[in-house]
Amino acid sequence: MRGMRRWVICVCMLPVIILLQGCSVKNESDHTTERNVELLDRVQISVMTPTHQLSKNLQDIPYLNRIATDAKIHVNWMQKRNGWEEAKSTALTSGEMPDAFLAGLTDQDIIANKDKFVDLSEYIDKYAPNIKRMFEEVPETKRVSTFPDGKMYSLPGVRPINTDSYNVLMINKKWLDKLGLTEPTTLDELREVLTAFRNGDPNGNGKQDELGMDWWAGAGGSLGSRGLFSVTSLLGAYGVTDNFTEEMIGVTKGQICFLFESDEYKSLVSYLAELWKEKLINPDVFTQDYSGMKASAQQDDVATVGVTFGWSLTDRVGKWANEYVALPPLRSGSNVAPLWPMSPSRVRITTNLFSMTTANPHPVETIQWIDQFYSEENSIQGYYGSMPDYVTKELDGIYTIVPAPEGDQDTQQWTNALVDNGPLYFSQSLENKTIVPPAVTIRRELDSIYKAYEPKSVDIYPMIKFSSEELNEMALAKSDIFKLVDEKFAEWIMNSTVDKEWDQYINQLKQMGLPVLYRIYQQGYEDYYAQPNLNVNNN
């Protein structure tokens, strides 16, 4: 990084020399010279960050440039749309560290390399009024930023999302109406509906191309099959639900349970295996990536997916969104009170959005730069896009989010802002003076359908910072366990072998270290709720 910084400075000085040799006519070269002289007056930092594949080049996003100009900083962006894990690993192990990371680091990354990261707490107290305000108004943000050694190696963000769940279960209502069907309320009724979708040509194109059920399986692993927009949300039909993380942790009466070893999980897998055998699930579900999943539902001529899961109707099925409705949680039986996975803090608060490395020679200027991301005006631009194209501000201080073409607000945001990958503080006062477009209002209304099925707050596993010793103890067990869970999830559904292999699977989990995970996660849960004056509300 040092070599790169010196190289930039040398190139910038060259036009200055030419100017001193006596160019008297003002031309484009002179304007370039002025820009380069201005850059010489700025502190230069290198910042490494993952971004969405849709994201513009960060140096072309106006609000980011305005933040840098106001802070008198020039950012050399090391933007990674793909290959983040490899790039991050190389940076952490090679010694060629950037001056800062924007998103993309895990607790494990930071703790395993904490001698390479700066404790931000003293800088925040002196130089970061916006961050201090966030910590005061939302105490949970300070707690999730403080590591077990009492130091603060990363900063969080508070998103403008008035939802409690990431996931929406959706069904093609137009297909239901055409076939004279009602919305299913149980898993058995869902099977009947999917069978009708398969046989009845509800999209009317004369082909048997309807995909009864589809979801993001993460191409065989990771959060696709264990959280976010996964079919495992249907565990709520059995009266249990998780916390939207790959660990699949449920809590009942203060006791945690890894749902991937529960009887309810086994029952759900058996149910899905029956659907698979009857060709009621997209045959590509375990091989398609997220883009492929969306493409299968957003074909040009007709809608092709009957039941699916996603963030919003528009994001998931595109122009066919008006054919779909949100489906309330299903029941596995008449005696079950269904639940839906919720985690208000995890949905609204994002951790590890900024970390400064010890390679950074300008810590004060850098913390002053990042503090500007948390201002009111920059927070709204950081999520929705730059002013005035994507956000407008009235004289009375009211902000209006510009509606996206065809209502695809998600694409507009991810193209023109950092969104979930950028530090921001969307306070309650900012929420109160923001006018959102119809697509956002619709998403919030979808979430309200699931409010009655929300677990108690103490039954949602909280966000916890584990110690380096705990993380190291869990690391090997997690690697083996989650690899097995993902492999068996797909195999059992495709081969209907869950009953035959279940006991062996449970024994393997125990041998791989599942008791270690139980001990550490249970203790973390108990320590969390033992804290005095615990405030788990967002605003």
Side-chain angles (χ1 to χ4, degrees):
M1 292 303 122
R2 296 294 166 266
M4 179 182 70
R5 188 176 291 108
R6 287 195 296 268
W7 180 84
V8 172
I9 292 175
C10 290
V11 171
C12 291
M13 291 177 64
L14 184 58
V16 180
I17 296 172
I18 295 173
L19 179 65
L20 293 176
Q21 289 177 343
C23 289
S24 57
V25 179
K26 197 102 171 158
N27 54 31
E28 180 59 33
S29 177
D30 295 318
H31 291 298
T32 301
T33 297
E34 292 173 357
R35 287 194 297 270
N36 289 330
V37 169
E38 180 184 352
L39 290 182
L40 283 174
D41 292 334
R42 298 191 191 183
V43 165
Q44 300 214 13
I45 61 171
S46 57
V47 179
M48 187 173 180
T49 183
T51 64
H52 198 284
Q53 291 184 0
L54 294 173
S55 298
K56 292 179 179 177
N57 292 333
L58 299 186
Q59 62 266 27
D60 297 329
I61 295 181
Y63 83 89
L64 292 176
N65 289 331
R66 286 195 287 266
I67 291 174
T69 298
D70 291 344
K72 295 184 177 179
I73 276 185
H74 176 70
V75 181
N76 297 310
W77 290 107
M78 303 165 68
Q79 180 178 0
K80 304 295 179 183
R81 294 185 181 87
N82 297 290
W84 171 252
E85 290 301 320
E86 180 180 356
K88 173 184 70 174
S89 178
T90 299
L92 291 173
T93 59
S94 68
E96 288 292 318
M97 295 279 279
D99 294 323
F101 286 90
L102 213 61
L105 296 181
T106 66
D107 287 356
Q108 179 73 43
D109 293 329
I110 295 171
I111 289 180
N113 300 276
K114 63 182 181 180
D115 59 321
K116 299 176 183 178
F117 292 99
V118 175
D119 179 8
L120 303 173
S121 54
E122 62 176 288
Y123 294 101
I124 291 170
D125 190 55
K126 294 178 182 178
Y127 305 108
N130 292 314
I131 298 170
K132 284 181 65 176
R133 175 185 168 224
M134 176 180 67
F135 286 167
E136 291 167 359
E137 294 181 353
V138 188
E140 182 79 346
T141 58
K142 186 173 184 179
R143 192 194 65 77
V144 299
S145 301
T146 304
F147 285 74
D149 63 1
K151 296 183 179 181
M152 192 174 294
Y153 300 108
S154 67
L155 296 176
V158 178
R159 293 179 283 195
I161 303 175
N162 281 336
T163 64
D164 291 338
S165 177
Y166 284 109
N167 208 6
V168 173
L169 171 60
M170 56 195 79
I171 190 168
N172 193 307
K173 183 67 163 57
K174 184 177 180 181
W175 290 8
L176 288 174
D177 293 343
K178 182 175 181 179
L179 299 177
L181 302 171
T182 59
E183 294 179 16
T185 60
T186 68
L187 293 179
D188 287 341
E189 290 175 3
L190 175 62
R191 182 194 290 112
E192 294 171 2
V193 165
L194 295 176
T195 302
F197 285 171
R198 181 195 63 194
N199 298 334
D201 189 29
N203 65 17
N205 67 350
K207 304 175 184 178
Q208 197 173 39
D209 58 352
E210 288 81 1
L211 304 173
M213 181 187 285
D214 198 13
W215 69 88
W216 177 41
S222 191
L223 287 176
S225 61
R226 287 183 269 114
L228 296 184
F229 315 126
S230 173
V231 69
T232 54
S233 291
L234 290 182
L235 283 167
Y238 300 91
V240 299
T241 190
D242 69 2
N243 63 330
F244 282 128
T245 65
E246 63 178 13
E247 288 87 357
M248 289 185 68
I249 305 173
V251 181
T252 303
K253 296 181 179 179
Q255 296 299 308
I256 73 162
C257 173
F258 291 98
L259 297 182
F260 54 75
E261 67 141 5
S262 67
D263 291 338
E264 292 85 358
Y265 180 80
K266 180 183 177 184
S267 296
L268 176 62
V269 172
S270 295
Y271 172 79
L272 295 173
E274 293 172 4
L275 299 187
W276 180 273
K277 186 184 298 184
E278 296 170 19
K279 296 183 172 23
L280 303 178
I281 293 174
N282 180 2
D284 298 324
V285 70
F286 293 112
T287 56
Q288 66 189 0
D289 59 14
Y290 190 75
S291 297
M293 179 202 69
K294 292 181 68 172
S296 69
Q298 299 184 15
Q299 298 184 29
D300 291 335
D301 49 353
V302 291
T304 55
V305 174
V307 174
T308 190
F309 306 79
W311 168 251
S312 68
L313 304 183
T314 303
D315 177 65
R316 180 64 184 91
V317 296
K319 68 179 182 179
W320 305 112
N322 63 345
E323 295 189 6
Y324 290 78
V325 296
L327 193 62
L330 305 172
R331 291 179 288 108
S332 59
S334 58
N335 60 338
V336 176
L339 296 172
W340 193 250
M342 300 270 188
S343 185
S345 291
R346 194 173 297 278
V347 171
R348 295 172 191 152
I349 299 175
T350 308
T351 60
N352 300 335
L353 289 177
F354 171 80
S355 292
M356 189 191 309
T357 74
T358 54
N360 191 330
H362 307 290
V364 172
E365 293 86 349
T366 302
I367 202 69
Q368 290 173 327
W369 167 71
I370 206 65
D371 184 62
Q372 291 196 37
F373 281 72
Y374 292 90
S375 73
E376 185 176 272
E377 197 165 285
N378 289 327
S379 289
I380 197 167
Q381 293 179 95
Y383 201 81
Y384 290 108
S386 301
M387 298 167 50
D389 292 336
Y390 305 106
V391 179
T392 61
K393 185 179 182 181
E394 307 302 326
L395 293 177
D396 58 2
I398 298 296
Y399 296 91
T400 300
I401 310 305
V402 177
E406 300 181 7
D408 193 355
Q409 206 69 33
D410 299 297
T411 295
Q412 177 170 290
Q413 291 173 213
W414 282 108
T415 302
N416 299 287
L418 290 171
V419 196
D420 293 342
N421 291 327
L424 51 81
Y425 173 40
F426 222 93
S427 66
Q428 188 59 56
S429 62
L430 180 54
E431 285 276 10
N432 293 341
K433 52 188 175 184
T434 299
I435 300 174
V436 297
V440 176
T441 301
I442 290 171
R443 176 58 182 88
R444 293 173 177 175
E445 291 172 351
L446 293 178
D447 194 69
S448 67
I449 293 172
Y450 299 99
K451 193 68 178 175
Y453 306 94
E454 182 175 2
K456 298 176 182 178
S457 60
V458 294
D459 289 341
I460 301 172
Y461 197 85
M463 292 187 288
I464 290 174
K465 296 285 189 189
F466 293 104
S467 69
S468 57
E469 293 78 14
E470 290 168 330
L471 288 172
N472 289 335
E473 194 174 0
M474 291 190 294
L476 183 58
K478 277 190 175 185
S479 175
D480 292 340
I481 285 171
F482 294 137
K483 180 180 179 182
L484 178 66
V485 169
D486 291 333
E487 288 175 353
K488 290 303 179 183
F489 182 72
E491 287 179 14
W492 287 338
I493 291 173
M494 292 188 289
N495 301 326
S496 299
T497 52
V498 63
D499 288 333
K500 178 182 178 181
E501 299 181 3
W502 183 256
D503 290 342
Q504 180 184 0
Y505 165 78
I506 295 297
N507 288 333
Q508 285 179 280
L509 292 176
K510 292 177 180 177
Q511 292 170 7
M512 289 174 173
L514 187 60
V516 172
L517 301 190
Y518 263 106
R519 171 172 52 82
I520 294 174
Y521 276 92
Q522 182 67 43
Q523 189 62 56
Y525 176 87
E526 293 173 5
D527 290 347
Y528 177 87
Y529 280 104
Q531 297 177 70
N533 303 317
L534 179 66
N535 181 359
V536 296
N537 294 321
N538 181 29
N539 286 305

